[in-house]
Amino acid sequence: MAKEKKLVEEITSMDTDFAQWYTDIVLKAELVDYTSVKGCLVIRPAGYAIWENMKNEIDRRFKETGIENCYLPMFIPESLLQKEADHVEGFAPEVAWVTYGGMEKLDERLCVRPTSETLFCDYYSRVVKSYRDLPQLLNQWCSVVRWEKTTRPFLRSREFLWQEGHTVHATAKEAHDRTVQMLEVYADFFEKDLAIPVIRGIKTDKEKFAGAEATYTIEALMHDGKALQSGTSHYFGDGFAKAFNVTFTDKDNQIKPVFETSFGMTTRIIGAVIMVHGDNSGLKLPPHIAPVQVNIIPVAAHKEGVLDAANALYDRLKSAGIRVKLDDSEKSPGFKFAESEMRGIPLRIEIGPKDIENNQCVFVRRDTGEKSFVSLDNVESDAKECLENIQTNMYETALAHRDAHTYEARTMEEFKDIADNKPGFIKAMWCGDRACEDKIKEVAGATSRCMPEAQEQISDVCVCCGKKAKKMVYWGKAY
């Protein structure tokens, strides 16, 4: 019991210090480890297994829409990066440069990929010739480097994993439709697999991606009331195409520029899962993406028949397609229970001598802590049903939390009071003026998160200047 207690005591309470709680979780659950380069992390097997499951679910959805995977180089010549002025200006502060190859100084600096719009445009300029070559629907899974000053595991690091999709189309409508479609893919993944409700919307010009005509986003609310931009889909119009001469001969025999999109989601979504669902005992992983969905723990394992029964249960659940683990280590049952909770395993199954006598086992849910006795006769179907119930309950719990921490403000005084004292989303009207957006950040420390498609008329005037309002905006303090 002392070891079990120590395991949990090593986690700072989220109510005491949320940032330290988060760091304790990612380290104690063995998701990451630090390296000798600041901001660059080892993603340990437990963390990478979560990413693999996420990646599989996203990739499956991509392929259903016609996306194909490819891979482009990590190095970008400086001259190529500078072809699109807004784009390079937006990324310049975060770019890492290679200036030497071996012992020789390079004739031209090479940028270490912060994103790959320029590389994809260069590629498309060579392979797209005719309308018959369109659309091109490509994605790559890779790492990127952005030289962040302030870093935090998963949420902001100097090198991180992601996917970046880049598509080109014959018409603006096709490109815009693809932009919205990919945002819906992200939202579906978040809500159905990560059990995280999201706000869909479009970014203001201030917050949109460098070089984009429009940036669409899904925004999630963390347990501490801060927002997290969780996935973005960008409509580029024909700006990149003109800069990189990506043209095609259309059916009318006219040469025209293509219309382009880009969309990306990163390993920061692991951080989202931690901060939306976790508690003071550790992770809470949604069953759909949990590397281990069920952890079997034998009780009084030294007694005759217990390990045999646990192994038989393991074989049955594995054959049923459940990701299952049998913890037959020499640790005490109490320590195993605490460790299972720490790692966020959705369902723990306990089985001991009395359970075997009664043809039963004990289900313990990670989301609620609820215990129940379950017959061994139909344990496979009962486990699957329990996992789906956990998935649904985690989403509903997160949705209730978000709704309870979403507020409305009609005046600047009200806005600032909410921002200072009630962490969460703030819905408020905006005139569309950049000066008001900047003023809100200066006064209340909140940034615009998105302008949702489903607009609400909270009032007729801008919360900041009092002039006629144009849009209802979700605002918040953010990671």
Side-chain angles (χ1 to χ4, degrees):
M1 289 300 294
K3 288 183 178 179
E4 178 184 350
K5 187 177 181 182
K6 182 181 178 183
L7 191 71
V8 178
E9 279 184 345
E10 290 177 3
I11 305 175
T12 302
S13 169
M14 62 167 60
D15 296 325
T16 301
D17 186 339
F18 192 82
Q20 188 59 51
W21 167 84
Y22 176 84
T23 301
D24 290 347
I25 292 291
V26 296
L27 294 175
K28 191 64 186 175
E30 298 181 342
L31 303 183
V32 302
D33 196 10
Y34 295 115
T35 70
S36 56
V37 179
K38 183 180 183 297
C40 294
L41 301 167
V42 175
I43 302 180
R44 301 182 68 175
Y48 198 81
I50 296 171
W51 176 241
E52 282 183 312
N53 287 343
M54 292 176 169
K55 177 181 175 182
N56 291 340
E57 289 299 327
I58 301 170
D59 199 61
R60 172 182 61 79
R61 285 175 168 84
F62 284 176
K63 289 185 169 75
E64 288 172 356
T65 73
I67 300 288
E68 296 181 292
N69 287 329
C70 65
Y71 185 81
L72 275 69
M74 69 163 58
F75 299 122
I76 306 171
E78 185 172 13
S79 57
L80 192 63
L81 190 69
Q82 291 179 338
K83 280 192 174 184
E84 214 290 329
D86 290 341
H87 183 67
V88 68
E89 183 180 352
F91 278 100
E94 300 174 348
V95 169
W97 294 99
V98 176
T99 57
Y100 276 81
M103 300 298 291
E104 296 182 7
K105 188 172 182 178
L106 301 179
D107 294 333
E108 180 180 13
R109 292 195 301 175
L110 298 176
C111 162
V112 183
R113 174 178 55 211
T115 182
S116 300
E117 276 72 18
T118 54
L119 287 172
F120 272 92
C121 285
D122 186 51
Y123 167 73
Y124 285 140
S125 71
R126 293 192 299 274
V127 301
V128 174
K129 303 299 180 186
S130 160
Y131 68 90
R132 298 183 184 87
D133 301 322
L134 297 172
Q136 294 275 331
L137 309 173
L138 298 181
N139 173 70
Q140 71 168 343
W141 294 92
C142 62
S143 69
V144 293
V145 172
R146 296 180 186 175
W147 215 254
E148 301 278 2
K149 293 181 180 178
T150 303
T151 62
R152 184 177 296 179
F154 294 124
L155 298 178
R156 198 168 293 277
S157 54
R158 288 181 173 173
E159 180 186 12
F160 54 88
L161 304 179
W162 76 344
Q163 58 73 211
E164 50 176 318
H166 299 268
T167 72
V168 289
H169 305 262
T171 68
K173 183 181 185 306
E174 286 180 24
H176 185 267
D177 288 349
R178 171 61 64 168
T179 305
V180 175
Q181 180 185 23
M182 300 319 293
L183 189 78
E184 283 302 316
V185 167
Y186 288 152
D188 184 73
F189 165 69
F190 251 67
E191 296 186 338
K192 290 184 179 176
D193 289 329
L194 302 190
I196 297 176
V198 295
I199 303 295
R200 304 157 172 82
I202 189 168
K203 289 286 190 181
T204 64
D205 285 345
K206 177 185 177 181
E207 297 292 333
K208 72 181 181 181
F209 183 80
E213 286 192 17
T215 290
Y216 292 79
T217 181
I218 56 171
E219 300 284 328
L221 190 69
M222 305 298 100
H223 191 81
D224 65 344
K226 287 187 178 180
L228 186 74
Q229 177 180 294
S230 302
T232 50
S233 186
H234 315 287
Y235 171 66
F236 288 142
D238 60 4
F240 275 92
K242 289 176 178 177
F244 288 84
N245 195 32
V246 187
T247 60
F248 70 103
T249 303
D250 207 348
K251 292 178 182 178
D252 58 7
N253 209 34
Q254 298 294 309
I255 296 177
K256 301 175 182 178
V258 299
F259 294 85
E260 188 173 354
T261 82
S262 176
F263 44 93
M265 183 174 282
T266 82
T267 38
R268 73 167 13 202
I269 63 178
I270 298 177
V273 168
I274 297 167
M275 292 193 294
V276 169
H277 299 304
D279 62 17
N280 287 329
S281 293
L283 296 173
K284 281 186 185 177
L285 296 177
H288 287 191
I289 55 92
V292 177
Q293 295 171 312
V294 175
N295 191 17
I296 300 171
I297 298 178
V299 178
H302 61 284
K303 292 191 176 181
E304 186 178 354
V306 172
L307 280 179
D308 289 340
N311 275 290
L313 184 55
Y314 171 87
D315 291 338
R316 289 175 61 184
L317 294 177
K318 185 176 181 181
S319 296
I322 295 171
R323 296 189 291 274
V324 58
K325 172 188 174 184
L326 169 60
D327 189 346
D328 58 359
S329 67
E330 295 182 358
K331 300 170 186 174
S332 70
F335 188 93
K336 293 178 184 180
F337 297 161
E339 187 174 49
S340 188
E341 289 185 357
M342 163 64 72
R343 296 186 181 280
I345 298 172
L347 179 60
R348 184 173 85 235
I349 297 182
E350 303 167 10
I351 188 165
K354 289 184 179 180
D355 299 309
I356 297 169
E357 285 179 20
N358 295 319
N359 191 44
Q360 67 183 25
C361 59
V362 180
F363 278 17
V364 185
R365 293 172 57 142
R366 176 64 180 92
D367 60 331
T368 63
E370 178 187 354
K371 292 186 178 184
S372 58
F373 293 100
V374 176
S375 170
L376 292 175
D377 291 340
N378 301 304
V379 70
E380 297 96 335
S381 59
D382 287 344
K384 287 183 177 181
E385 182 180 358
C386 185
L387 289 170
E388 284 307 307
N389 286 339
I390 292 170
Q391 183 80 27
T392 300
N393 182 61
M394 290 180 71
Y395 175 81
E396 292 175 348
T397 300
L399 180 60
H401 178 270
R402 187 194 73 185
D403 290 348
H405 293 81
T406 299
Y407 310 94
E408 295 181 1
R410 290 166 178 79
T411 67
M412 199 62 218
E413 292 76 17
E414 189 178 12
F415 191 110
K416 188 176 187 308
D417 179 63
I418 295 171
D420 289 344
N421 301 299
K422 298 178 180 179
F425 283 132
I426 305 173
K427 296 190 291 186
M429 304 304 292
W430 177 53
C431 63
D433 193 330
R434 169 72 179 268
C436 284
E437 189 175 1
D438 291 340
K439 186 70 173 178
I440 289 171
K441 182 177 181 180
E442 178 188 339
V443 171
T447 56
S448 62
R449 304 317 308 154
C450 70
M451 297 174 286
E453 182 178 353
Q455 284 283 300
E456 301 173 47
Q457 193 72 19
I458 294 171
S459 74
D460 295 327
V461 298
C462 175
V463 71
C464 183
C465 68
K467 295 179 181 177
K468 183 176 176 59
K470 293 181 179 179
K471 291 286 185 180
M472 188 278 281
V473 179
Y474 275 85
W475 309 81
K477 297 179 180 180
Y479 284 97

